[in-house]
Amino acid sequence: IVKYNKLSKKDKESVKRPVKQSLYTGNSSTFEGMIKKLSYQTHGLIAQYDEANIFLTKMNKNLTHQAIATAIYEMETYNHDLVGAKGVGDFMEIDDPFMSMTLASTSQWLYEQISFKDFKTGYLNRMVFYFGNKQYDIIPFENTPDDEIRFDEFQKVSLRIWDFLYAKKEKYIFKFSKEAKLEHQRQYKIYFNQETIKRYKNIPEDIYIGTMIRLSTTVLKYAMILKIFEVFYTNNELIDNQIEKKFIDMGWKLINIHLKNLDILMLNMSSKNTIQDNFIDIIAKSIQAFLIKNKITQDSKVSISYLKNHIATLKKIDSTKCYDILKYTCDNYNVNMSVNIAGNGRETIYYYIDNF
């Protein structure tokens, strides 16, 4: 890539641009940039955001990006027109996209900024939550020599795995042993037992079930990651593609930690969301009433700016919250939305109602 960048513009036209497969740090970058980076990767993308609040705030403003991120999680083929500033576009298609995403933020920000509806819409219940140590519990230079050696070993193993995957031209297919499949079924039944559901008393049952349906697949992903890590950590040259029962057990243990953290998260959200949800319903009803009263159909659809100028309860709310409220209104009060993409690639969302 360094050599390529030194070439003149004319020389670059006759040379294929080299693609570097690397960890993607998404801080201060656009969602479109992340998708473009994903299209370069043969074996998917690892995206890391040190400031998750910035990323999630941007995602909450753009319903299209939320839908794309959800589809990529399900490994649906991505195909989209890329429109340039002059209206001349290109077409990007990614078959079987795979992306791992790590978001780091403070628990307090999560308590204040997200709501139960973010889980009910299927967006946040695809994520796994882990709480780390409090900052003041981490003492400088506290790491022991053993910790440093272990970290160095893990780093070397990760690089070996990276080289292995980079060298493979085709996907590596894993198969689960009979015992692993039976253990996965057994654990699945335990976590969907009513007694287990009641144990996490702060998680609403509909959110719990929606989350666990998705996370049962996450267990299988954890099992594959743990399998390949153990193989390279033990310097085993023979890589068989069978996932044994013990890796399924490890995967469910990680999910159990997540559920405990999710229970804490929901507890801290409860008091704030009870007030906030009632307030959102009041605004949603006023939006619906305004659209019905003024007979705003698809032919006369209006933008968020128009609604803010004409509905008093929306005027003092910032744009990010407005997007959240309008999304909730569309989901629960029979309001429709459509997205218009201008020649410069800018998106505008319009709202209307069909039934009066």
Side-chain angles (χ1 to χ4, degrees), residues 19-25 37 40-47 100 154-168 228-229 232:
V19 176
K20 182 181 179 181
Q21 302 211 38
S22 59
L23 175 71
Y24 175 75
T25 302
K37 185 73 174 179
Y40 295 158
Q41 310 301 308
T42 306
H43 296 284
L45 178 70
I46 303 175
S100 294
F154 285 0
Q155 188 176 46
K156 288 178 180 178
V157 171
S158 299
L159 290 172
R160 288 182 61 204
I161 294 172
W162 190 279
D163 292 339
F164 168 77
L165 292 176
Y166 186 79
K168 291 192 71 64
I228 198 168
F229 191 90
F232 282 94

Side-chain angles (χ1 to χ4, degrees), residues 63-77:
L63 300 179
T64 303
H65 289 173
Q66 284 190 22
I68 292 172
T70 302
I72 288 176
Y73 177 87
E74 303 295 343
M75 296 183 70
E76 296 178 10
T77 297

Side-chain angles (χ1 to χ4, degrees), residues 35-271:
I35 296 298
K36 188 174 182 180
K37 185 73 174 179
L38 175 62
S39 71
Y40 295 158
Q41 310 301 308
T42 306
H43 296 284
L45 178 70
I46 303 175
Q48 177 180 314
Y49 290 83
D50 292 335
E51 295 296 337
N53 52 343
I54 297 174
F55 174 80
L56 291 173
T57 298
K58 288 180 179 178
M59 291 293 284
N60 284 337
K61 290 181 179 179
N62 195 313
L63 300 179
T64 303
H65 289 173
Q66 284 190 22
I68 292 172
T70 302
I72 288 176
Y73 177 87
E74 303 295 343
M75 296 183 70
E76 296 178 10
T77 297
Y78 174 86
N79 46 64
H80 193 66
D81 289 306
L82 304 176
V83 182
K86 297 181 180 179
V88 180
D90 194 6
F91 182 75
M92 180 187 291
E93 184 169 357
I94 310 173
D95 289 326
D96 299 327
F98 182 84
M99 180 166 60
S100 294
M101 188 179 296
T102 302
L103 309 174
S105 185
T106 62
S107 55
Q108 190 60 39
W109 184 89
L110 285 172
Y111 301 152
E112 294 175 356
Q113 297 298 323
I114 64 177
S115 71
F116 292 126
K117 295 180 181 66
D118 292 321
F119 288 89
K120 292 181 179 180
T121 56
Y123 178 51
L124 282 186
N125 63 10
R126 285 170 166 80
M127 297 186 180
V128 178
F129 294 89
Y130 294 108
F131 294 150
N133 293 329
K134 294 178 180 178
Q135 192 64 39
Y136 51 77
D137 287 340
I138 303 174
I139 301 173
F141 303 112
E142 187 182 34
N143 287 350
T144 65
D146 288 341
D147 291 330
E148 294 177 4
I149 292 172
R150 191 177 296 111
F151 179 81
D152 186 56
E153 288 176 351
F154 285 0
Q155 188 176 46
K156 288 178 180 178
V157 171
S158 299
L159 290 172
R160 288 182 61 204
I161 294 172
W162 190 279
D163 292 339
F164 168 77
L165 292 176
Y166 186 79
K168 291 192 71 64
K169 296 180 180 180
E170 297 179 354
K171 293 182 179 179
Y172 196 79
I173 307 298
F174 283 105
K175 295 181 180 180
F176 292 84
S177 69
K178 182 179 178 180
E179 292 77 15
K181 292 178 182 178
L182 291 173
E183 178 62 16
H184 190 54
Q185 291 175 346
R186 187 185 74 83
Q187 295 275 12
Y188 185 88
K189 291 176 183 178
I190 289 175
Y191 279 89
F192 275 98
N193 182 285
Q194 281 297 318
E195 291 302 315
T196 305
I197 294 174
K198 290 178 182 177
R199 188 189 310 161
Y200 302 100
K201 57 184 179 180
N202 297 304
I203 307 175
E205 186 170 335
D206 56 341
I207 291 179
Y208 180 93
I209 292 173
T211 298
M212 287 309 303
I213 288 173
R214 293 171 175 89
L215 293 186
S216 61
T217 303
T218 301
V219 171
L220 303 181
K221 295 178 182 179
Y222 278 152
M224 289 185 281
I225 292 170
L226 291 164
K227 163 74 177 189
I228 198 168
F229 191 90
E230 181 183 84
V231 168
F232 282 94
Y233 186 72
T234 56
N235 293 309
N236 191 342
E237 297 298 328
L238 178 63
I239 305 176
D240 68 274
N241 64 345
Q242 180 166 275
I243 304 295
E244 294 84 5
K245 172 179 173 290
K246 66 176 182 179
F247 297 110
I248 292 293
D249 289 335
M250 293 179 192
W252 278 107
K253 286 178 181 177
L254 290 171
I255 293 300
N256 185 47
I257 296 172
H258 158 70
L259 286 174
K260 291 179 180 179
N261 290 333
L262 186 60
D263 199 44
I264 296 170
L265 178 63
M266 293 290 178
L267 173 63
N268 283 276
M269 287 167 53
S270 294
S271 58

